[in-house]
Amino acid sequence: MAERVLDARWLEPPEPMELTLAAIDSLEPGDHLRLLIHRTPYMLFPILKEWGFSYQSHSNDDGTYEVLIWRKEQAAPSRTPP
Amino acid sequence: MTQPASLSLDQAPPFAVPFRFFLTAPLFALTAALVLLWQGPDLLSSRWNPALLGTTHLLTLGHMGLIMLGAILQMLPVVAGAPVGRPGLTAALVHTLGTGGIVLLCSGLIFTLPLALKLAMPTLGTALLLFAAMVVVTLRRALPHNMTVRAMRLAALMLAATALLGLTLLSNYAFGWWLQAREALTNLHLTWGLLGWVGILVVGVAYQVVPMFQLTPHYPARLTRWLAPALFVLLPGLALTNHAPRLRILLGTLLAAGFAAFALTTLWLQLKRRRKLPDVTLNFWRGGLLCLLLAIALWLTAQIAPAIGMTQSYSLLLGVLMIAGFAMSVINGMLYKIVPFLVWFHLQSRRGPSGPKVPNVREILPETRTARQMWLHFAALGTLLAAVLWPASFAYPAALLFGASNLWLWLNIVSASRTYHRVNAEIVRANASAA
């Protein structure tokens, strides 16, 4: 149940999406991804759904966002980093 | 964006929805260049020359209009959080009626064919008014405090007003009835079209795309809250100042100040972007905004020295600066972000995890090709401005450069679209063999 962290803050679009899809493509079963990003990646969500992933997005106090991404059949990971 | 993350965007429109518009549009700009090549310096003899009116509409409706319509259909679900109902059918209807109507209108004006002009009225009128109504209705469900949504709604209302004025003027050309206020209505039509529909839309879209693509700070909240509504209120005011020249100059100066504030703010934000990398889209924006500022300076000069406003080339220069300079540059630059992204996005969502490899956006549309097309566009623009002042020397070179630039833009979009179909076929094959 490991967490992978991807820091895609202040990368030019669609680089954050490209890196995210590459990262979840190689996720081990049971693992999840924590994506750090400077704005809500609206266009990423339909692809995640299409690929069979669930996600949960929330904003930080500094105006950036964190998106947790995990396979639909797994239990949702906790929002606080392990 | 100020929307909840629970927003459902499953309804991103199909690939063909925006692409049918993007693939058609540059061919109209190419046709405009061919008309200039055929007519030569005579085309630029007067702003009232019907062939020039037809050529202008090849650019404003055929090229710019179609791209703006396609881009709005793509953007609505994202900015409004509400999909367009039946996007495939809406796009097919607006695109078919729109392109048919544009061909009828422009050929009717260029070749003096009253029947084509009569047929253009219902086709083009339906397409534009249907589209404007669809945007306003779809955005009613959007969140009210999104400033892009607000600007888009106001721009759609200006599109409807511009289209209604255009239909009035068109009926005058088609049926030859006496219209005393033709010059005043024409000036209002082009002001509402270029500053209301195009101008307010570019302003509203910039609030989203400039910070997003160029990693700049956000636009100041005061500007995003007030600018689009202020422009929207000032534009109808121009209709009431026909017999009040002083009031007209005041309203015009306020409009000019609003657009200058937008241009200067955008250029300033771009200087403060986080990553100082060279970028074709950024340079298109800079060139476009510079042309907007030059147009404003030219208009102000003509208010101070009325003799300049009386010259034949004054209104043509304004037109070239606003259409080929401002609007076409910004639109061309945005296409180079939207087109490769949509190809990549649709392929990624269809391939699924561990499917066939999808090329990245830089492979879909290489920067070497887009950068060269950009320099050609700006060379064409400079030559077009020279052609207004010295038609005999520059009309033909301008036509050749402008034609080559738009042919190249079209080929770039075609090549991205072919990449989509090629990789999509691979994905379909891979999915079939996996099943």
Side-chain angles (χ1 to χ4, degrees), chain B residues 360-380:
Chain B
N360 68 35
V361 286
R362 281 162 299 283
E363 291 166 326
I364 291 166
L365 205 48
E367 180 133 332
T368 45
R369 283 168 47 186
T370 56
R372 285 175 190 159
Q373 189 268 327
M374 177 188 74
W375 288 118
L376 195 54
H377 165 80
F378 285 129

Side-chain angles (χ1 to χ4, degrees), chain B residues 10 12 44 69 76 122 128 157 160-161 186 245 285 296 313 322-323 363 397 427 429:
Chain B
D10 300 1
L44 305 169
L69 264 50
L76 275 178
L128 295 176
L157 290 171
T186 304
W285 268 99
I296 291 168
S313 52
M322 285 301 292
I323 294 169
E363 291 166 326
I427 291 170
R429 274 199 300 275

